[in-house]
Each structure stands twice: as structure tokens, then as C-alpha cells.
Amino acid sequence: MNLILLGAPGAGKGTQAERLVAERGLVQLSTGDMLRAAVAAGTEIGRRAEAIMNSGELVSDEIVVGIISDRIDQPDCEKGFILDGFPRNTAQAEALDKMLAEKGKQLDLVIEVRVDEKILFDRIRTRAAEAGDGAVRADDNEETLRKRLDVYHEQTAPLLPYYQAQGKVRSVDGMQPIETVGAEIKEILDRL
Ligand code: AP5
């Protein structure tokens, strides 16, 4: 089973992806986590991505499409994967469709996690406050979150009609407790 978790910054994509890893043995493919690891390791990709991520803009399509394509080829992805934070715009979605077709794979479902903006600000504020010294994400502040949300509305939200046209979107209310959101996602996947 190959899935996309789609939602605004702080909607709970990573949280729900981790649950699906534990429950279903799927592999979580988070472009944000992969890019942060590249920044921490000081790789060429990390150096190219760091300032862009800290500004709340999107890293180039070429970088993230390459990372995802290579990762999907790894044997552990055979049993299925959850794309968390990818695709982020229509060009990435088109590249994904093409890539999956070439690899003989398919996308089964897109789960949209819906959360109101005010709650997103509360969550990111809380996460930043609870992170220890030096562990706060560089993009977890009000100004950058505002930019991340603008980018989401302009570039990522158009993926909803893109995947609705393929009949693949299911939406959940991401403002419920984590367990309840997880239970709704489970129900959707059990019906597949
Ligand atoms: P990325 O790492 O993908 O960040 P994001 O989309 O902004 O999302 P977050 O990771 O902040 O939120 P989430 O939805 O995963 O929520 P989470 O579970 O963490 O991207 C970062 C940057 O990398 C981008 O801005 C861009 O520069 C670059 N990038 C990444 N992918 C890219 C791509 N494909 N193309 C180009 N650039 C790319 O939860 C958030 C908080 O809320 C947590 O504290 C959690 O505990 C809490 N929470 C979660 N669910 C609930 C709930 N139901 N109730 C209460 N609290 C909850």
C-alpha cells in the first residue's frame, strides 16, 4: 500500500505516518526529515537546502524528486510507503506519477489531514517551546510558519483537486486527538 499524507505544516502528517509505520510496517518517506538529516550531516544537498528551508520556501523539485526516487528503489519500500511532505507542488506530483509508472508501482490513496490555521500556530508554538536547547527546528517560529502556510496554500493545496480528479483523496479531521485521527485513518485504509 502506497500512500500520501497531505496537510499544512503542523497538521500531523509525521505523527500519523509514524503510527502507520508501527501498525502496518509501511516505510515513512519524509522529505523534510531527509533534508534535515542532510543539513545536519553537512552534505552538498544539505548545504543547498538549509537557507531555503529556514526561510519556509520549497527546496528545488530536482533535489526532492531525486531523493524520493532513489529511496523508493530501496528493498524496504517493496511492502509499501507513506509519503510525508512530498509531493509539495504540481510539478512534484507529475514527477511522482511518472516515476511510479516507470517503476511499475502505483499510488493507492491520498489522506488529507485538515487542521485550522489557528491550531497550527498553537501546535508549532508548543513544539518550539517544548524542544530542548538547540533542538528547536529553525523553521518553527511564527514568521517562518506564516511563510510555510502561504507556500502550502499557493503550491501544495492545488494537489487536492489534482488527486481528487484521480478519485484518490480521503479527508480526516486532524483537530481531534491523535488517537482518534489515527483510528479514522485506519478505518479508511481497512476499507481499501
Ligand atoms: P516538513 O518537514 O515536511 O515540514 P511541514 O510540512 O512544514 O510539516 P511539519 O513537519 O511541521 O508538520 P507535520 O504535518 O508533519 O506535523 P507533526 O506530526 O510534526 O518540511 C520542512 C521544509 O523542508 C519545507 O518548508 C521545505 O523547505 C522543505 N521540504 C520538505 N519537503 C519538501 C518538498 N517535497 N519539496 C520542497 N521542499 C521540501 O505535528 C506537529 C506538532 O503537532 C507536533 O508537536 C505533534 O505532536 C502535534 N500534533 C500532531 N497531531 C496532533 C493532534 N491530532 N492533536 C494535537 N497535537 C498534534
Side-chain angles (χ1 to χ4, degrees):
M1 186 185 291
N2 301 323
L3 311 170
I4 292 176
L5 284 175
L6 189 66
K13 304 181 292 295
T15 303
Q16 295 303 328
E18 279 171 24
R19 291 177 59 99
L20 290 168
V21 169
E23 284 168 10
R24 295 185 182 247
L26 301 174
V27 177
Q28 176 187 8
L29 303 182
S30 160
T31 37
D33 286 350
M34 293 178 203
L35 290 167
R36 278 184 290 278
V39 171
T43 65
E44 168 64 21
I45 284 180
R47 280 193 292 276
R48 286 167 66 190
E50 186 171 16
I52 303 170
M53 292 174 78
N54 293 353
S55 74
E57 296 281 355
L58 295 184
V59 173
S60 83
D61 294 341
E62 171 226 333
I63 290 181
V64 291
V65 169
I67 294 179
I68 287 293
S69 178
D70 290 348
R71 188 62 188 84
I72 286 176
D73 288 338
Q74 299 296 310
D76 61 343
C77 286
E78 285 293 323
K79 54 193 166 195
F81 52 81
I82 311 147
L83 293 166
D84 159 12
F86 179 92
R88 246 359 200 248
N89 57 29
T90 309
Q92 291 179 19
E94 288 169 352
L96 176 66
D97 282 348
K98 187 162 169 276
M99 173 200 309
L100 292 178
E102 284 168 1
K103 295 179 196 295
K105 293 179 187 287
Q106 62 164 23
L107 178 69
D108 296 298
L109 217 56
V110 177
I111 298 180
E112 180 205 10
V113 184
R114 287 193 183 158
V115 175
D116 291 348
E117 210 158 277
K118 186 193 167 303
I119 293 177
L120 298 174
F121 275 92
D122 291 345
R123 284 187 187 174
I124 296 302
R125 217 177 282 124
T126 304
R127 181 163 68 184
E130 286 176 353
D133 274 350
V136 181
R137 261 174 62 168
D139 59 351
D140 269 358
N141 57 71
E142 299 226 351
E143 190 191 342
T144 313
L145 179 59
R146 169 50 52 210
K147 183 69 204 171
R148 286 158 67 194
L149 281 167
D150 289 347
V151 169
Y152 177 78
H153 291 303
E154 282 161 24
Q155 301 194 45
T156 311
L159 295 184
L160 281 170
Y162 179 92
Y163 286 118
Q164 272 157 353
Q166 299 181 12
K168 290 192 170 149
V169 178
R170 305 287 182 277
S171 298
V172 294
D173 174 357
M175 293 172 282
Q176 307 172 92
I178 291 171
E179 296 286 327
T180 313
V181 179
E184 282 196 9
I185 292 175
K186 181 177 184 304
E187 223 179 287
I188 290 169
L189 298 184
D190 286 347
R191 280 202 300 267
L192 252 192

